[in-house]
Every structure is written in C-alpha cells, then in structure tokens.
C-alpha cells in the first residue's frame, strides 16, 4: 500500500487552564460557520506521545481476568498510526486569528491538528451504542486515555 501524507492545519496551544486550537492562516476561511456548533470533532496527531511500537501487535496485553484484548478494542494512544480523535466543546471562536477555545483535549501544547469537523448530534451520536464494562464507560478509565481539561496525556 502507498504511504499516506498528511499536512497539519494548525496546532494545539495551552496556557494555564486555557486550551486553543490555533488554525493556520491558510485554513482560517474554513472556520466560517463553526459558530453554529457547540462541539467540534478534532482529529489530531499523536506526534508528541511516546509510541511503544510502530506496527501494532495483534494483541495488547491488559490486566484482565478473561485474558488478552485486541489493540482496536482499547483507547490506548499506542496505535499503528499516530492519529487521535476527540470531541470537544467550543468555548470561543475568533475567525480573524484562527483561534478556537475549547474545554479540553488529551493533547500536548504544540500537537499537530489534522482536521476539524462540526459535531452533529444527528450524524455523530449513536443512541443505542454499546461498550464493554471494563475501562469504565468504554472510552477511558483504566485502559485508555481520559481527555480532560488540563490533561497532558493522550
């Protein structure tokens, strides 16, 4: 398979308790219309997180009584490809400067942004979704990252 090249559209910025998505000037016109959304889907790069492997193992060993669990059933930042997805609340939007203030993300200061998408409850929400009991709500807890304001781990 051919290699895939991605180009960042901006970066994450942190200062104290504040977190912004700083969008590069060339992409700022693409922010038009986001003021109608309360939440945003952020696709970002695990470019600053340490990675234990580059071509993921078939199983990632977790401490579970029932045995091993596959990598894709976890929320670990140690992925075959260093990409992440977060849903964040938009706290402020400045189209002129390209700054989107958000409530939290599990990314470091300077982390590369790959894409932004307005969160649509009708499209992006799955009301009847099911997740396993281990790991809390199935997205974080003991076996995966919990992305909260001020968190620096992916």
């Amino acid at each position: 398979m051919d290699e895939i090249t991605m180009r960042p559209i901006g970066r994450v910025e942190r200062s104290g308790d504040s977190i912004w998505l700083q969008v590069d000037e060339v992409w700022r016109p693409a922010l038009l219309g986001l003021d109608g959304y309360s939440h945003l889907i952020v696709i970002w790069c695990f470019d600053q997180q340490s990675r234990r492997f580059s071509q993921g193992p078939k199983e990632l060993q977790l401490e579970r009584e029932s045995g091993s669990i596959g990598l894709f059933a976890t929320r670990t930042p140690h992925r075959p490809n260093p990409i992440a997805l977060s849903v964040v609340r938009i706290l402020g939007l400045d189209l002129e400067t390209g700054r989107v203030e958000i409530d939290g993300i599990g990314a470091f200061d300077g982390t590369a942004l790959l894409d932004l998408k307005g969160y649509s409850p009708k499209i992006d929400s799955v009301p009847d979704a099911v997740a396993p009991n281990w790991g809390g709500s199935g997205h974080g807890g003991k076996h995966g990252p919990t992305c909260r304001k001020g968190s620096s781990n992916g």
Side-chain angles (χ1 to χ4, degrees):
M1 181 179 280
D2 294 332
E3 293 240 351
I4 298 171
T5 302
M6 291 183 275
R7 293 173 186 83
I9 62 163
R11 66 191 174 282
V12 173
E13 290 187 356
R14 291 175 168 273
S15 178
D17 288 337
S18 298
I19 305 170
W20 297 272
L21 307 176
Q22 180 61 57
V23 176
D24 293 341
E25 188 172 357
V26 69
W27 295 107
R28 290 179 190 165
L31 295 171
L32 188 63
L34 278 184
D35 58 347
Y37 289 91
S38 64
H39 290 76
L40 190 62
I41 297 171
V42 181
I43 301 173
W44 50 283
C45 188
F46 279 127
D47 59 348
Q48 297 185 47
Q49 281 73 2
S50 65
R51 295 177 67 213
R52 287 185 260 198
F53 49 83
S54 59
Q55 295 181 359
K58 292 181 183 175
E59 291 185 337
L60 178 66
Q61 300 293 317
L62 298 178
E63 296 177 22
R64 292 189 57 225
E65 289 180 19
S66 59
S68 298
I69 186 151
L71 168 69
F72 299 132
T74 72
R75 298 298 292 233
T76 178
H78 306 289
R79 314 301 300 181
N81 292 295
I83 56 173
L85 181 144
S86 297
V87 176
V88 300
R89 178 180 296 277
I90 298 172
L91 301 178
L93 174 64
D94 186 330
L95 297 174
E96 189 175 314
T97 64
R99 289 174 70 103
V100 182
E101 186 176 5
I102 60 171
D103 65 342
I105 193 167
F108 291 107
D109 184 54
T111 294
L113 298 174
L114 301 176
D115 202 355
L116 304 174
K117 300 171 188 276
Y119 178 89
S120 172
K122 291 182 180 178
I123 298 169
D124 300 314
S125 177
V126 183
D128 58 346
V130 176
N133 260 348
W134 55 264
S137 61
H139 55 77
K142 184 176 177 184
H143 302 301
T146 301
C147 300
R148 297 177 199 234
K149 189 172 187 173
S151 171
S152 63
N153 60 354

